[in-house]
Every structure is written in structure tokens, then in C-alpha cells.
Amino acid sequence: MRKTSRIIAILAIAMFTATSAMAIGPGNPKKGKYLFKKNCKQCHVAGAEGGELTPLSKTMSQWKRFFERDQHKAKPEVWGKYKEKDLNDIFQFLYDHAADSDQPETCG
Ligand code: HEC
């Protein structure tokens, strides 16, 4: 009986951890590029409130961390506007062309 409740507690913790971190999986980088331009560039060009941002602004592991953990803490309300699938595609585009990727890309 005590064992069962311990297992339930562990399962509950595992489920909570799984939902609080976004699952980043393979996305569509072409769609991601389009979505990045359409949704992120409005605040992320030189002189705009978010500052200039391109795939080169971060390394692959930094992008992964940003999407999985940070989730746009600087302005959390921004993240809530996007579908998880779209964020996944944007992630894939940024990740594929990150500073330390095979094909670094400055334009976004
Ligand atoms: C409504 C404006 C707005 C939109 C839209 C927006 N951002 Fe931001 N973003 C900001 C602001 C403001 C900051 C904080 C900048 C600072 O701290 O100087 C920020 C910070 C960031 C940072 C951290 C920059 C760093 O130096 O580490 C990243 C990465 C980022 N945004 C990515 C995105 C992505 C990807 C999208 C599109 C899915 C997006 N942002 C859409 C306003 C925006």
C-alpha cells in the first residue's frame, strides 16, 4: 500500500516535469523561417524593442535551452500567442542555422 502511493507520487512528479518543459522535436525549418520573419522580426530587428535577432545570435544548444527552458521569459506573454507546433518549426529553423551549425545563416 505504501509502495503504491510512492509510485503514484513519482508518476505525478514525472508528469508535471514533462508538461512544464516544452517538448522540442523535429520541426519544419522552411515553415519556421517564414514564421520567424512574420512573427518574431517585428520586435527583433535592429532598433526594435527586442533587439536584432538572427539564427546566428545563439549556438545550437543555446537555442535548445531557450525554447525548452527560457520560453521567452523576457516577455512571457509573447510565447502564449503561438501554437506549440509553430514554435517547434521556428526552433528548427534557428537551430539548423545557429552560429555553430553546419549552415550558419545571418538573415532570418
Ligand atoms: C512584442 C515584441 C516581441 C515579439 C513578437 C517577440 N519578441 Fe523576443 N524579445 C522581446 C523583448 C522585449 C525581449 C527582451 C530584450 C532584452 O532583454 O533586451 C526579447 C528577448 C528575446 C530573446 C532573448 C535574447 C537574448 O539576448 O538572449 C530571444 C531569443 C527572443 N526574444 C526570441 C524571440 C522569438 C523566437 C520570437 C518569435 C517566436 C520572439 N522573440 C518574438 C520582444 C519580442
Side-chain angles (χ1 to χ4, degrees), residues 35-36 39-44 49-51 53 58 63 66-67 70 72 74-75 78-79 81-82 87 90 94:
L35 290 167
F36 178 73
N39 298 305
C40 314
K41 279 284 184 178
Q42 50 177 305
C43 295
H44 285 290
E49 77 168 301
L53 196 69
K58 294 188 184 295
W63 280 124
F66 181 81
F67 277 80
D70 184 281
H72 214 271
K75 217 171 159 66
V78 169
W79 233 224
K81 289 198 300 190
Y82 307 119
L87 288 175
I90 294 170
L94 295 167

Side-chain angles (χ1 to χ4, degrees), residues 44-77:
H44 285 290
V45 287
E49 77 168 301
E52 187 173 25
L53 196 69
T54 73
L56 279 184
S57 304
K58 294 188 184 295
T59 61
M60 291 156 84
S61 61
Q62 283 173 330
W63 280 124
K64 199 159 194 296
R65 192 169 174 77
F66 181 81
F67 277 80
E68 283 183 349
R69 297 273 161 213
D70 184 281
Q71 301 181 347
H72 214 271
K73 264 196 208 106
K75 217 171 159 66
E77 67 271 25

Side-chain angles (χ1 to χ4, degrees), residues 28-39 41 89-90 92-94 97 105 107-108:
N28 179 339
K30 276 212 176 117
K31 223 179 136 218
K33 181 174 186 168
Y34 164 79
L35 290 167
F36 178 73
K37 278 188 178 171
K38 187 172 159 231
N39 298 305
K41 279 284 184 178
D89 291 343
I90 294 170
Q92 199 65 53
F93 163 65
L94 295 167
H97 302 288
E105 184 169 312
C107 67

